[in-house]
Amino acid sequence: MYLAVLALLVMEIMLNKSRGQQLALLIGIILVLFTVEREKIRKLIPVAISGIMLLLFLALFTDITDSVLNRELNLSCRDVIWKELFSTAMNTPFFGRGAGSSAGFEAYCKAVDVTYTHAHSVYLAIFLYTGLIGVILALGLTFQTVIAGIKSGQDKDLFWVIIIIYGFVAFLPNGDALVSRPNERWMLFWIPAAFIASRQRPNTLL
């Protein structure tokens, strides 16, 4: 059952052609390999074989190889978007424009003839709307949660730490808010953070 769900997740990440998510997945796999106990590594062999077969299937029957390898360093208009966003954010660098306010910028990408007002980065969006204060709080919460999960010594918490790191990498070039209504960001940050926090003693949370 778990392998089936994992296979669907990997297939979705590969087919949506998001290199940010693909990089996050690769980092997550590497972290799993380094954190799994040696005697349990053998149990990962079927997973590795299944993953290789899945990748071969995608390479043979989809255009995923061209999509991943031939896009070079094309940022898909993000360079234009982030330049305009940063210019706007610097007008209110410390406290931002305010949560819920308008983006305040329009980024026209000539390559696709589209005008964007979406940040295309969770952490740049935090900088835009809540300034350096918001970025410091968001990064502080993320790093403190990761450290607490590692120090707890529980395998389950290490799993949640890997999920948070995956989310952190995936959010850098995608998304528009960390605090939001229930969506995928809850699965990649808030729920793992809640599980880790639930096992901490009150005096260790600070």
Side-chain angles (χ1 to χ4, degrees):
M1 182 63 181
Y2 289 113
L3 289 178
V5 174
L6 178 62
L8 290 175
L9 173 64
V10 173
M11 184 174 291
E12 188 278 331
I13 290 174
M14 298 302 292
L15 291 177
N16 71 14
K17 304 176 183 178
S18 172
R19 288 171 295 180
Q21 293 183 29
Q22 292 164 2
L23 176 61
L25 178 63
L26 176 62
I27 292 174
I29 292 172
I30 293 173
L31 289 174
V32 168
L33 293 176
F34 275 98
T35 56
V36 171
E37 298 176 6
R38 290 184 179 275
E39 58 269 20
K40 295 181 180 179
I41 289 181
R42 287 179 296 179
K43 296 181 180 180
L44 292 176
I45 294 177
V47 177
I49 294 174
S50 301
I52 292 171
M53 292 177 63
L54 177 59
L55 290 175
L56 287 174
F57 173 83
L58 293 175
L60 291 173
F61 297 101
T62 72
D63 65 344
I64 188 64
T65 303
D66 291 335
S67 300
V68 174
L69 299 179
N70 294 340
R71 292 178 67 186
E72 299 176 350
L73 295 177
N74 184 355
L75 294 175
S76 301
C77 295
R78 283 177 174 80
D79 52 339
V80 177
I81 297 168
W82 293 342
K83 180 179 178 181
E84 293 295 331
L85 182 152
F86 188 77
S87 177
T88 300
M90 287 306 294
N91 292 323
T92 53
F94 296 106
F95 298 101
R97 295 177 57 80
S101 64
S102 63
F105 75 92
E106 292 185 352
Y108 174 71
C109 184
K110 185 177 180 180
V112 293
D113 191 26
V114 174
T115 299
Y116 295 93
T117 58
H118 186 280
H120 282 72
S121 171
V122 163
Y123 292 95
L124 281 179
I126 292 173
F127 178 49
L128 176 67
Y129 295 112
T130 59
L132 286 173
I133 301 300
V135 173
I136 291 171
L137 290 174
L139 293 178
L141 176 60
T142 301
F143 294 146
Q144 176 62 26
T145 304
V146 169
I147 293 171
I150 293 173
K151 287 184 175 180
S152 74
Q154 297 192 33
D155 291 340
K156 291 181 179 179
D157 283 349
L158 287 177
F159 167 77
W160 293 123
V161 165
I162 292 173
I163 295 296
I164 290 175
I165 293 174
Y166 168 88
F168 176 79
V169 176
F171 292 157
L172 286 175
N174 296 288
D176 61 350
L178 191 61
V179 179
S180 63
R181 294 180 179 180
N183 55 30
E184 72 281 0
R185 286 182 283 281
W186 281 39
M187 298 297 295
L188 298 178
F189 182 79
W190 294 111
I191 291 177
F195 274 107
I196 292 173
S198 70
R199 282 187 279 272
Q200 307 301 309
R201 297 179 180 177
N203 62 343
T204 64
L205 294 177
L206 300 177

